[in-house]
Amino acid sequence: MALFPDDNDLVFQFKNGINKEIPFTQIIKKHQEKLYWHIRRMVVNHEDANDILQNLFIKVWKGLDQFREDSQLYTWLYRIATNECISFLERQKKRLSISLDDDNSFLTEKLQAEKHFDANKLEWKLQLAIQQLPEKQKIVFCFRYYEEMPYEKMSEILQTSQGALKASYHHAVKKIENFMLNN
Amino acid sequence: MNRAQEIHTELNAISHTVAAIPFNNPYALPKGYFNGMAEAVMGKIDAGQQTVSLNNDFKQSANQGIPSHDELMSLPTTSPNFEIPENYFVNNPEVIIHRIHSDKKTSPIYIGIIFKLSVAAICTGLLGWLIFMGLNNSSTGTIPTHELTEAARIVKTNSFEKEMDALDDNEIISYLNASGHDVKTAIVASLTVENNLPAPEEYIFDEKTLDNYLHAVNISEINYLHQSTIY
């Protein structure tokens, strides 16, 4: 696995260096994989995830000079990624005239269209269960389950109290359990 | 206890069932996808692209990486019933990129033309009214003789466009002000006709559409023009 400089150093080089492309390319390479999987689990489809990820980095390129470094770059990137995913899903729901509450059936359809999808396999069943969750619970569950993110970090990204996040995670796990046992 | 163990213990306490699910990632990912990401993003940034279009209809093969421009262009297409200019789709990306780069600000000369067009309608109405009044109410003595003579001369010599061209922006603004018109609104209204308005769905999908559009219309320049005339 490639070793990358510290985020603070990369941001410093971007803001003060002559060639911004070198540190920015390293920022992309350093964070792309985790961000991609975070986005992919939210939107399911690879093409959508790819578009969102590229848009995200284009926005970061434009905004990094103004990044105040009150939070870590990693936190900022995740926050943008999460907002981009939520906006994307809301746009899709509006386009499909679906209520914004919790109808994620279009995501289930996308999941079923995935290559190698097999509803009898546990890992796909888990994905189906995750897509039934309300967006906030889905984000919290994925952060915790897949990325092993501490609540403290999650709290910074989602700007929600740790207590509320623990409750969301608990609800999410219970809903997933219920889905797994009844489907 | 490390973080992974801690999280698994927490999960196990909430649900044995979920904790027992093997930790597999079932999603397929194009081979070498991450190797090309930085280059793809930098390429788009260099090209000055604002954002990537979210084209949901384009289903890229799960075995491919990010398609290059040439790969995209070589994709098979169905034969459309409508005819298009030769090489339209080949040249279109360059045209669009050029348009993104081109300055969208409206020049003062352009504003001047729009002013003249805006006021033309008002002047035409005024001429018609003067002639009508002149022909029907000549006995009342309330006709502004000079304007009537002037209107008759313009009609007779068919020099309306020439007269309009002779007017400068300040005269038009003064006229609009004197006749009780909101100059700023007239300018914005005339500009909106000349600029490409965002499509209706853009307002639905992007709440900043109106802000972006008004910014593109360049209100500050209009303010400057307006204020310089008034004061």
Side-chain angles (χ1 to χ4, degrees):
Chain A
M1 191 178 172
L3 286 175
F4 293 101
D6 181 70
D7 278 346
N8 293 335
D9 291 341
L10 289 172
V11 172
F12 181 83
Q13 286 173 36
F14 182 89
K15 288 184 176 180
N16 302 291
I18 297 167
N19 188 346
K20 289 177 183 293
E21 292 196 11
I22 295 170
F24 194 72
T25 300
Q26 291 202 300
I27 288 172
I28 294 175
K29 288 183 174 174
K30 185 176 181 183
H31 294 285
Q32 60 179 353
E33 208 160 329
K34 283 198 162 193
L35 289 168
Y36 172 84
W37 285 115
H38 171 55
I39 295 166
R40 179 80 185 267
R41 290 186 189 107
M42 289 292 293
V43 302
V44 177
N45 178 281
H46 168 71
E47 284 75 40
D48 294 338
N50 178 41
D51 286 345
I52 292 171
L53 186 62
Q54 291 192 27
N55 276 342
L56 181 155
F57 282 123
I58 291 171
K59 285 185 178 179
V60 170
W61 169 271
K62 289 177 180 172
L64 196 53
D65 273 322
Q66 282 78 48
F67 177 54
R68 287 176 299 171
E69 297 174 65
D70 295 337
S71 60
Q72 289 179 22
L73 179 67
Y74 163 88
T75 310
W76 188 56
L77 292 174
Y78 265 95
R79 194 178 299 156
I80 298 171
T82 305
N83 288 338
E84 289 291 306
C85 287
I86 292 170
S87 302
F88 173 80
L89 292 172
E90 285 183 357
R91 280 199 303 272
Q92 287 223 314
K93 284 181 180 178
K94 278 181 189 171
R95 199 170 291 170
L96 298 168
S97 304
I98 297 171
S99 153
L100 288 179
D101 297 336
D102 58 0
D103 187 351
N104 290 335
S105 55
F106 72 105
L107 288 171
T108 303
E109 285 170 18
K110 281 187 177 187
L111 199 58
Q112 288 164 341
E114 278 292 295
K115 202 179 182 186
H116 308 308
F117 176 82
D118 183 350
N120 294 317
K121 287 190 174 170
L122 267 181
E123 57 264 36
W124 282 112
K125 211 169 172 181
L126 174 62
Q127 297 306 317
L128 282 171
I130 291 170
Q131 296 310 330
Q132 313 301 315
L133 297 172
E135 266 145 30
K136 188 76 178 282
Q137 287 179 19
K138 193 198 301 184
I139 294 165
V140 173
F141 180 81
C142 289
F143 273 154
R144 191 74 175 156
Y145 184 80
Y146 289 108
E147 299 179 40
E148 297 176 348
M149 192 180 284
Y151 287 115
E152 187 186 359
K153 184 74 75 184
M154 225 188 288
S155 174
E156 283 176 39
I157 295 168
L158 301 174
Q159 297 182 314
T160 308
S161 73
Q162 292 187 40
L165 293 170
K166 285 177 186 174
S168 284
Y169 183 66
H170 188 277
H171 286 304
V173 173
K174 282 294 179 192
K175 284 181 186 174
I176 289 170
E177 180 187 48
N178 190 42
F179 182 92
M180 301 297 282
L181 294 173
N182 295 302
N183 288 275
Chain B
M1 192 187 292
N2 67 25
R3 194 189 301 158
Q5 287 173 323
E6 187 187 313
I7 289 171
H8 191 265
T9 305
E10 176 195 39
L11 181 61
N12 203 30
I14 303 170
S15 167
H16 297 300
T17 311
V18 180
I21 298 170
F23 193 90
N24 289 334
N25 181 4
Y27 290 111
L29 185 68
K31 277 180 189 170
Y33 170 68
F34 292 117
N35 296 336
M37 172 58 70
E39 287 71 22
V41 172
M42 292 315 304
K44 281 178 174 140
I45 289 168
D46 289 341
Q49 187 163 344
Q50 300 297 308
T51 49
V52 181
S53 67
L54 296 173
N55 184 356
N56 300 314
D57 297 329
F58 174 57
K59 296 297 175 194
Q60 184 187 338
S61 162
N63 292 323
Q64 290 177 316
I66 301 163
S68 66
H69 174 267
D70 291 340
E71 284 170 332
L72 275 177
M73 290 302 126
S74 66
L75 284 173
T77 54
T78 54
S79 300
N81 293 324
F82 298 105
E83 286 187 3
I84 54 166
E86 198 176 347
N87 291 330
Y88 173 74
F89 289 116
V90 176
N91 298 328
N92 211 26
E94 284 74 27
V95 173
I96 293 166
I97 295 297
H98 177 73
R99 286 188 64 180
I100 289 169
H101 284 302
S102 66
D103 189 1
K104 289 180 178 174
K105 287 181 182 176
T106 312
S107 71
I109 293 168
Y110 186 55
I111 289 176
I113 293 165
I114 292 159
F115 266 125
K116 287 172 186 174
L117 290 171
S118 305
V119 83
I122 297 165
C123 290
T124 307
L126 184 67
L127 278 170
W129 178 79
L130 285 169
I131 293 165
F132 178 80
M133 291 298 287
L135 294 172
N136 295 292
N137 299 316
S138 55
S139 62
T140 62
T142 56
I143 313 157
T145 317
H146 171 70
E147 279 84 350
L148 183 60
T149 312
E150 193 67 6
R153 183 185 65 77
I154 291 169
V155 171
K156 193 176 175 184
T157 58
N158 198 20
S159 59
F160 181 73
E161 283 185 21
K162 191 180 167 188
E163 292 296 328
M164 288 306 301
D165 288 340
L167 291 171
D168 70 17
D169 295 345
N170 292 338
E171 282 179 297
I172 296 166
I173 291 170
S174 303
Y175 170 75
L176 288 171
N177 276 327
S179 56
H181 291 277
D182 184 340
V183 178
K184 217 155 64 170
T185 307
I187 298 165
V188 172
S190 61
L191 282 173
T192 55
V193 173
E194 297 300 323
N195 282 276
N196 290 328
L197 286 167
E201 61 268 23
E202 287 181 45
Y203 292 101
I204 299 168
F205 299 133
D206 185 357
E207 62 188 16
K208 289 184 179 168
T209 299
L210 184 59
D211 290 342
N212 294 340
Y213 177 70
L214 289 175
H215 181 71
V217 165
N218 198 10
I219 299 291
S220 58
E221 197 172 331
I222 295 164
N223 279 338
Y224 166 75
L225 204 67
H226 187 201
Q227 284 165 6
S228 66
T229 312
I230 293 170
Y231 303 108

